[in-house]
């Protein structure tokens, strides 16, 4: 009797252990459990922790409640300004209603992926190239709204959508590079022209100061010489402005009265000079008179011998010619 009772207890314990092993389930913290009894969804959603179901009768389906990162494959499309581009994106979403995510749609991951690709193509066709490159925040918000509208009925909430990369054709890249280079060159020319204008104003002010103070020009020349000499050049080209000569001319003392510069005085002569010929406008040239000497000498008069150059301005009369030898009284000798 005791043996039979002990065997029954062991059998019952084994059955209970098998039942508990078949009915026990563990739901993780980031999951929620849905129980289907004979294919019908129970209203109760099992939370995280230990839970029990009826073996063979119930089926427990676990749903992940974490945020899912879903990459969207690159989509090729034509923008509104007729530029062919390839755009890829990434979608962040999570399940907020486990019952709808399992019952309302067959595979919510695949559904969200297809909706994201379709919405991305639509956004490409409605946007310009400049918006895709520089105004992505607005495009991300529009893409999020387009995906989130049908996903609400699936028990899925779109957290955010980000456009990752925009691939352009090589010809378009070169065109954009030339445009950017031209814009940079235009800005550089404008800045250079502005600098030249400011420099011209400063140079005009400096010229006015140098005109009032001529000594400033000499100091500036000396500074230029110092700057050139600092380069250790073997040849030094020194400009000599005319304004410096004018400054030195004004700075030179005036000559005393009565003193005549020999360089500017006319040639002085000693002795009788050339005969002065009075101009008689009424009388015509004489046919019997010999032609005038270019040197201004009278006929038969010897030119004076110059002791110095024209700069000396001193001339003396030529010495008389030696007398002829006396004739021989005896006549010529054979």
């Amino acid at each position: 009797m005791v043996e039979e009772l002990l065997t029954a207890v062991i059998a019952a314990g084994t059955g209970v252990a098998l039942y508990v092993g078949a009915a026990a389930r563990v739901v993780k913290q980031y999951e929620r459990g849905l129980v289907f009894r004979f294919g019908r969804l129970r209203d109760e959603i099992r939370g995280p922790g230990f839970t029990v179901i009826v073996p063979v009768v119930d089926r427990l389906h676990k749903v992940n409640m974490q945020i899912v990162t879903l990459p969207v494959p690159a989509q090729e499309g034509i923008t509104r300004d007729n530029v062919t581009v390839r755009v890829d994106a990434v979608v962040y979403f999570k399940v907020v209603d486990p019952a709808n995510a399992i019952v309302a749609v067959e595979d919510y991951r695949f559904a969200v992926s297809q909706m994201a690709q379709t919405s991305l193509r639509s956004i490409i066709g409605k946007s310009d190239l400049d918006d895709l490159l520089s105004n992505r925040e607005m495009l991300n918000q529009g893409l999020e709204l387009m995906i989130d509208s049908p996903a609400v009925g699936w028990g899925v909430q779109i957290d955010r959508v980000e456009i990752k990369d925009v691939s352009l054709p090589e010809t378009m890249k070169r065109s954009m590079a030339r445009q950017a280079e031209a814009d940079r060159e235009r800005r550089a020319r404008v800045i250079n022209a502005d600098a030249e204008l400011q420099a011209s104003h400063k140079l005009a002010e400096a010229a006015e100061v140098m005109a009032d103070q001529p000594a400033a020009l000499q100091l500036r020349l000396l500074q230029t010489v110092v700057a050139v000499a600092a380069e250790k050049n073997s040849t030094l080209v020194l400009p000599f402005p005319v304004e410096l000569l004018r400054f030195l001319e004004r700075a030179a003392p005036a000559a005393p009265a009565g003193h005549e510069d020999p360089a500017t005085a006319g040639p002085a002569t000693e002795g009788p000079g050339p005969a002065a010929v009075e101009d008689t406008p009424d009388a015509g040239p004489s046919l019997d008179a010999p032609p005038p000497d270019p040197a201004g000498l009278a006929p038969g008069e010897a030119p004076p011998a110059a002791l110095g150059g024209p700069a000396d301005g001193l001339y003396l009369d030529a010495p008389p010619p030696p007398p002829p030898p006396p004739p021989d009284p005896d006549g010529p000798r054979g």
Side-chain angles (χ1 to χ4, degrees), residues 40-122:
R40 185 175 181 177
L41 179 65
R42 300 294 301 270
D43 296 336
E44 182 183 1
I45 297 177
R46 306 297 175 89
F50 180 80
T51 183
V52 178
I53 63 173
V54 179
V56 183
V57 178
D58 295 341
R59 294 288 184 270
L60 180 65
H61 192 90
K62 299 177 182 179
V63 180
N64 192 341
M65 304 296 291
Q66 292 177 319
I67 295 178
V68 181
T69 303
L70 179 66
V72 181
Q75 302 297 312
E76 184 173 355
I78 300 177
T79 61
R80 189 167 58 181
D81 50 355
N82 299 325
V83 179
T84 303
V85 295
R86 289 178 60 88
V87 182
D88 57 351
V90 59
V91 180
Y92 302 91
F93 69 94
K94 63 180 179 180
V95 177
V96 294
D97 190 350
N100 287 337
I102 299 300
V103 177
V105 63
E106 180 181 2
D107 187 355
Y108 65 90
R109 289 175 177 266
F110 181 75
V112 172
S113 176
Q114 295 300 314
M115 180 57 65
Q117 295 180 29
T118 306
S119 301
L120 183 58
R121 284 179 176 271
S122 179

Side-chain angles (χ1 to χ4, degrees), residues 119 139-150 158 161:
S119 301
L139 297 180
N140 293 336
Q141 294 177 3
L143 189 58
E144 179 180 348
L145 292 176
M146 293 180 65
I147 301 175
D148 189 60
S149 298
I158 304 300
V161 181

